[in-house]
Amino acid sequence: MTEHSTNPGSEEHESIERYDLEVAPRVRSLPPYLFGKINELKYRMRREGIDVIDLGMGNPTDPPGEPIIEKLCDAARDARNHRYSVATGIYNLRKEVAARYESRFGVSLDPDQEVVATIGSKEGFSHMCLALLGPGDTALVPAPSFPIHIHAIALASANVISLDVRDGQAFLANIARTCESLYPRPKILVLNYPHNPTATVVEPAFFEEIVGLAKKYRFFVIHDFAYGDIGFDGYQPPSFLSVKGAKGVGCEFTTMSKGYNMAGWRVGFAAGNREMLAALKAIKGYYDYGIFQAVQIAAIVALRHGEEVRLAQVAEYESRRDAMVRGLRRIGWEVESPRAGMFVWAPMPEPWQSRMGSIDFAMKLLEEAHVAVSPGRGFGETGEGHLRLALVENAQRLQQAVRQIGRSLRPAGAVSS
């Protein structure tokens, strides 16, 4: 070889570096990441040694139960578990999911036809959108919106219509109104209860209304039940599949990320309508080889023996919720106490709501209070004027965050009480 052909600084190499890559339209259509500016500042502050209390992401800081970790280690030592697994999940895991639905919700599921293991619920939801949607199709999505609920649909080349989710009866009326006025009618309705980010919850009667609308207007329902494991004050979030006729019109995604603190393990499930799950299986068969089998085996142990640990984690989140809500009310914020999930959805206090948007306000809290939160604008226009605060730190740390927020918003010259 000649020196010219191997020199990184050669004319040939330079011409390759200047090549203009034309990415796909689906990538160009993605909006700028609204949390990017906040994350960049947060990481810079941490590199400078500043203690940032991060309440921005619903990323559990507690570990899974010790027996689950021990089972993972044992399974990882078995050479057979390092082979390719099954894209839809091993049978015993799917059987355990079906048993859990039966015991908790009274729902009967066929592990072979009505349960699929996914690489977290986010992957499953995204691939379900690819399986069901295409150009010209429309999906109805709750607003404010968890970003993947919009962008997975856009990446499938379909259209999104956002409907405000905070008033249940208005939401139902808007579904019917949209279906009556739109042609072709919407193909999919996305639901998400307990809702992220607003923590809105529903009762089973709401899902009964949804099933009736789905049958009348011939659309599929996808319920993102990611926070179904976490209910407070005796409230148990209902499964969409628990109401009569639900399996005929839709499916539900669950995850072990929240109640079992297995977020990084990437274990989720789709359950319900056989035709929808068959379409998901077809997509997954081409895209992935499934979850690491040792993780699946540990997940079986979590589902079979981890209920006591899950309930203890729910009690911990409830204690954190109480500490956060009490603290925010003490400094003058008007916040509702959520009945489920792992977030407090807080209206921005005055005079700040009149002065700035939620992104600027979140930047202010990060810069001056050293507390990272999610601005409501990151969840769409209907989220503006709010902040989402994740209950991922212990109660003492949350109280510290509130104190720092209070000090940062205190008028100049004010004396601490």
Side-chain angles (χ1 to χ4, degrees), residues 58-356:
N59 191 8
T61 54
D62 304 286
E66 189 60 32
I68 303 169
I69 298 173
E70 290 177 0
K71 190 62 179 181
L72 172 66
C73 295
D74 290 342
R77 293 188 184 99
D78 187 336
R80 294 170 297 180
N81 290 328
H82 293 270
R83 304 169 182 173
Y84 291 126
S85 188
V86 184
T88 56
I90 59 177
Y91 176 77
N92 282 343
L93 177 58
R94 289 182 278 113
K95 185 174 73 171
E96 207 62 45
V97 173
R100 181 171 180 260
Y101 263 95
E102 182 71 53
S103 63
R104 283 191 62 187
F105 305 114
V107 176
S108 177
L109 294 172
D110 179 346
D112 284 318
Q113 304 295 324
E114 296 174 335
V115 179
V116 172
T118 61
I119 307 173
S121 58
K122 188 175 182 181
E123 173 268 315
F125 178 85
S126 300
H127 280 157
M128 182 64 83
C129 290
L130 283 180
L132 300 182
L133 296 169
D137 291 331
T138 299
L140 305 180
V141 175
S145 306
F146 183 54
I148 196 62
H149 292 160
I150 288 183
H151 301 314
I153 293 163
L155 288 169
S157 302
N159 305 308
V160 173
I161 295 178
S162 298
L163 304 176
D164 195 325
V165 75
R166 292 169 291 186
D167 182 323
Q169 289 306 308
F171 183 67
L172 291 169
N174 284 333
I175 293 170
R177 188 177 301 113
T178 304
C179 289
E180 290 286 356
S181 60
L182 189 69
Y183 184 82
R185 284 176 173 167
K187 190 172 183 180
I188 282 177
L189 168 67
V190 176
L191 299 176
N192 172 214
Y193 297 102
H195 182 246
N196 178 13
T198 68
T200 300
V201 296
V202 295
E203 301 294 343
F206 176 88
F207 287 142
E208 293 172 0
E209 297 273 1
I210 291 291
V211 170
L213 290 171
K215 290 180 177 179
K216 179 177 181 180
Y217 296 112
R218 310 291 295 175
F219 57 72
F220 293 110
V221 177
I222 302 177
H223 182 219
D224 184 351
F225 199 32
Y227 296 91
D229 281 333
I230 305 174
F232 307 135
D233 306 319
Y235 173 73
Q236 297 296 321
S239 164
F240 170 70
L241 298 179
S242 66
V243 303
K244 184 178 179 180
K247 279 200 297 184
V249 300
C251 70
E252 182 167 81
F253 284 94
T254 54
T255 176
M256 302 193 72
S257 295
K258 316 305 180 185
Y260 296 89
N261 295 323
M262 297 168 65
W265 298 46
R266 310 313 302 134
V267 186
F269 310 101
N273 185 273
R274 296 183 177 211
E275 288 72 25
M276 295 174 74
L277 265 58
L280 175 62
K281 290 177 186 178
I283 290 289
K284 286 180 65 63
Y286 283 96
Y287 270 97
D288 71 71
Y289 285 104
I291 308 159
F292 177 35
Q293 193 151 294
V295 168
Q296 296 189 61
I297 292 169
I300 292 171
V301 170
L303 290 171
R304 190 175 294 166
H305 304 295
E307 184 65 2
E308 185 176 331
V309 173
R310 182 188 74 83
L311 292 175
Q313 188 63 50
V314 171
E316 173 65 22
Y317 279 127
E318 186 167 345
S319 174
R320 295 175 185 180
R321 176 207 62 174
D322 293 344
M324 172 65 75
V325 170
R326 278 197 307 266
L328 290 174
R329 288 173 176 171
R330 192 176 299 121
I331 63 172
W333 292 37
E334 297 180 2
V335 295
E336 293 186 9
S337 185
R339 296 176 65 198
M342 52 192 295
F343 305 107
V344 170
W345 182 245
M348 290 167 52
E350 291 294 356
W352 308 104
Q353 187 164 153
S354 301
R355 294 180 181 176
M356 60 180 66

Side-chain angles (χ1 to χ4, degrees), residues 4 8 21 24 33 43 56 74 110-111 152 237 267 299 312 323 327 347 353 357 359 365 402:
H4 175 79
L21 175 65
Y33 185 54
Y43 298 142
D74 290 342
D110 179 346
V267 186
Q353 187 164 153
I359 295 177
L365 295 186
V402 173

